[in-house]
Amino acid sequence: MFDVVVVGGGSAGAMAAIASARNGAKTCLIEEKSILGGTNTASLVGPLVPFIGEDKQPIVGGIPQELINRLIKKGGAIGHVDDPIDFAYGLTPVDFSLMQLELIQMANEAKVEMYLNHSVVDVSKKQTNIISVVVSDLNGQRFEIKGKQYIDATGDADVAMLAGCELFVGRKSDHKSQPMTMCFNLSNVNLEMVRDDVMKNPDNFVVSEEIRQGKRMDYVAISGYFDEVSKSSNFPIERDRLLFFQGVTKNDVGMNTTRILDKTSLNTQSLSEAEIIGQDQVTKLFAWLKENIEAFKDATIKNIGSVGVRESRHLVGKKTLTELNVLRGDKQERSIAVGCYPIDIHAPDSSLMEYVEDQTLKNFEIDLEMLQSDEVNNLLVVGRPISATHQAHAASRVSVTCMAIGQSAGLIASLSSQEDIAIDQLPYKKIKELITQHGGIVER
């Protein structure tokens, strides 16, 4: 019997398990892949955002920041840098291979009991509580794991679905989700040439006003080469720009330009097709880059991620994060994490990014009730499937916000288990104090 069972070891789940175990709870982590870190380490989605919020102040602390500090010491991160695109208040590039190793190390140090290459395929319930989860290994062998509290960090709200929680998929009008992506890292890119391109024609890029007025780009983050893309007769991706970011190693970049439409992570065949389409797009985009952008003519592929999923199921929670909450920078009654990212919707059925123009980026709070359903009492849903509208989700889905949510959920679940008090009955003052003691930030 575990105090806390965490299902899914991605950005949110790894933080949840480590936080729970550090707070003294006997903690189990079940992860379908062989590594921790999810879309960051497996899908190479980066740089990490947002550690930094309004007034360039930290909005995420505790274990996520500790991870960055540990990576800096090992040469796997360069800290928080200004975003030259002016999309976020800061970016945090990391080496995802070192991040993968560091997360396993941190989980081991916390004495998290890990079941890698295992999936949850069913749950047992008694009234409104989960009693156990049924786990399958790669050979199809099944066994039960029992716990007092459960955290669904699967990314697709799989445990919530199996437990009968109310959910919806994608945008409510037609249930289409944001497109998937397949990120890949390149070496030997001439970043000085990229900086020159920006200096010569800043209107060809999305850049800060400082760079538009002539300041040379330092850290390279590119949303642009609009002219080259629009004038090309053979640009292989259905979108209007290149999107890439400087890595930790000199002359490395992470490409996030592919766009996989009309596929879902909720169907194995569709996900398989997405992987195939993604790899075909990587092949064609790499060839196009070498032929059309001078800075890439000597580039080589360093590694390729698995498909990165932006959106699938959403919990219908006791409270829902809305686009107005994000745009206004709303406070919440039982805040457990802070986010600060634009409403950044990659259109589900076109090449466009549906960015809310002229939005002043504000810190917004995540309420505990956005992780809770009315159907199950001892389950918290963390990461991208929290209760949020399609629009608000575009701001809350990013990895560092998911880390902050996961860390807080792990602490709350451990507290509930140890004191044998339902999460709803825990005094918010006690929750807030515990999160703060562990370095978390709950107020905008």
Side-chain angles (χ1 to χ4, degrees):
M1 168 69 79
F2 290 94
D3 295 319
V4 178
V5 176
V6 181
V7 185
S11 304
M15 295 296 120
I18 294 167
S20 170
R22 284 188 179 182
N23 198 47
K26 184 180 180 184
T27 305
C28 164
L29 175 59
I30 303 163
E31 165 54 43
E32 65 180 2
K33 294 184 173 66
S34 59
I35 62 175
L36 303 183
T39 54
N40 298 134
T41 56
S43 302
L44 308 181
V45 177
L48 304 182
V49 285
F51 276 98
I52 305 299
E54 289 182 73
D55 301 321
K56 297 294 180 74
Q57 295 301 306
I59 56 170
V60 175
I63 299 169
Q65 182 58 52
E66 178 190 335
L67 171 64
I68 300 305
N69 295 342
R70 291 170 67 136
L71 288 173
I72 289 172
K73 290 180 180 179
K74 296 182 178 181
I78 59 175
H80 311 308
V81 300
D82 289 340
D83 179 8
I85 299 175
D86 247 3
F87 203 62
Y89 287 117
L91 306 173
T92 309
V94 299
D95 181 310
F96 291 125
S97 295
L98 288 177
M99 178 178 171
Q100 169 190 325
L101 298 177
E102 204 62 34
L103 285 171
I104 286 285
Q105 182 66 29
M106 292 170 76
N108 274 330
E109 290 169 0
K111 294 182 170 51
V112 175
E113 187 166 329
M114 287 178 277
Y115 292 84
L116 303 182
N117 296 311
H118 286 74
S119 301
V120 169
V121 295
D122 203 357
V123 303
S124 295
K125 283 175 62 183
K126 184 175 181 181
Q127 298 176 339
T128 56
N129 282 326
I130 296 175
I131 303 303
S132 67
V133 291
V134 179
V135 180
S136 176
D137 66 16
L138 292 176
N139 297 315
Q141 297 294 316
R142 298 187 175 193
F143 56 95
E144 275 192 319
I145 291 180
K146 294 183 177 182
K148 297 177 183 177
Q149 296 291 327
Y150 295 82
I151 296 176
D152 183 342
T154 60
D156 290 326
D158 290 335
V159 177
M161 183 272 295
L162 291 168
C165 297
E166 185 179 356
L167 305 161
F168 69 95
V169 176
R171 59 188 182 193
K172 283 198 170 181
S173 60
D174 58 10
H175 303 296
K176 285 190 174 183
S177 296
Q178 293 196 52
M180 300 180 190
T181 187
M182 181 169 282
C183 296
F184 59 104
N185 294 334
L186 299 176
S187 298
N188 207 32
V189 177
N190 191 328
L191 292 179
E192 284 305 310
M193 196 172 289
V194 173
R195 295 183 179 99
D196 290 342
D197 289 344
V198 175
M199 285 283 288
K200 291 173 189 172
N201 187 10
D203 290 338
N204 197 23
F205 304 87
V206 178
V207 291
S208 66
E209 189 58 31
E210 280 186 323
I211 293 173
R212 189 169 300 282
Q213 295 301 322
K215 181 183 177 182
R216 188 170 179 83
M217 185 179 283
D218 182 11
Y219 174 79
V220 174
I222 296 296
S223 176
Y225 284 105
F226 295 108
D227 292 344
E228 289 80 356
V229 170
S230 64
K231 293 175 183 177
S232 174
S233 61
N234 65 337
F235 187 67
I237 312 299
E238 191 175 342
R239 68 181 307 175
D240 62 347
R241 72 192 72 191
L242 295 177
L243 184 65
F244 62 87
F245 301 87
Q246 181 180 340
V248 174
T249 304
K250 184 179 179 182
N251 294 328
D252 279 6
V253 302
M255 298 292 307
N256 188 357
T257 300
T258 63
R259 181 166 294 234
I260 304 164
L261 299 167
D262 296 321
K263 298 299 175 186
T264 176
S265 60
L266 304 179
N267 177 283
T268 304
Q269 181 60 38
S270 184
L271 189 59
S272 173
E273 292 167 359
E275 295 281 3
I276 294 166
I277 291 168
Q279 291 175 64
D280 181 62
Q281 289 187 9
V282 169
T283 300
K284 292 174 179 175
L285 178 58
F286 179 57
W288 187 91
L289 288 167
K290 290 176 74 71
E291 291 174 6
N292 292 274
I293 308 295
E294 185 67 19
F296 287 82
K297 69 181 180 65
D298 295 321
T300 58
I301 291 181
K302 182 178 182 179
N303 47 14
I304 304 169
S306 59
V307 158
V309 180
R310 289 189 174 94
E311 182 181 23
S312 57
R313 297 188 186 103
H314 300 266
L315 177 72
V316 177
K318 295 185 176 184
K319 183 179 279 191
T320 297
L321 183 72
T322 70
E323 51 270 36
L324 283 178
N325 294 150
V326 174
L327 293 171
R328 294 186 306 220
D330 284 349
K331 296 180 68 65
Q332 300 290 340
E333 290 181 16
R334 290 163 67 84
S335 175
I336 51 91
V338 178
C340 186
Y341 197 70
I343 294 178
D344 166 36
I345 303 174
H346 297 249
D349 44 19
S350 79
S351 64
L352 301 178
M353 292 176 67
E354 298 174 357
Y355 175 70
V356 177
E357 297 292 343
D358 300 323
Q359 59 177 308
T360 301
L361 199 53
K362 294 183 178 180
N363 298 349
F364 59 90
E365 295 179 355
I366 307 289
D367 197 286
L368 172 59
E369 292 191 349
M370 295 169 185
L371 284 59
Q372 296 178 286
S373 78
D374 286 323
E375 292 79 20
V376 181
N377 292 333
N378 63 338
L379 174 68
L380 295 175
V381 177
V382 300
R384 70 172 187 264
I386 67 166
S387 185
T389 65
H390 172 73
Q391 292 79 10
H393 160 270
S396 66
R397 64 179 171 84
V398 285
S399 56
V400 179
T401 305
C402 291
M403 289 180 182
I405 294 169
Q407 173 178 241
S408 293
L411 293 171
I412 294 165
S414 66
L415 179 65
S416 173
S417 173
Q418 290 165 335
E419 300 203 355
D420 199 25
I421 300 174
I423 289 174
D424 274 344
Q425 303 304 313
L426 290 171
Y428 176 62
K429 181 180 179 182
K430 199 164 192 175
I431 290 173
K432 183 178 176 180
E433 287 175 352
L434 179 62
I435 295 170
T436 304
Q437 286 169 10
H438 285 259
I441 298 171
V442 300
E443 293 182 311
R444 64 173 305 281

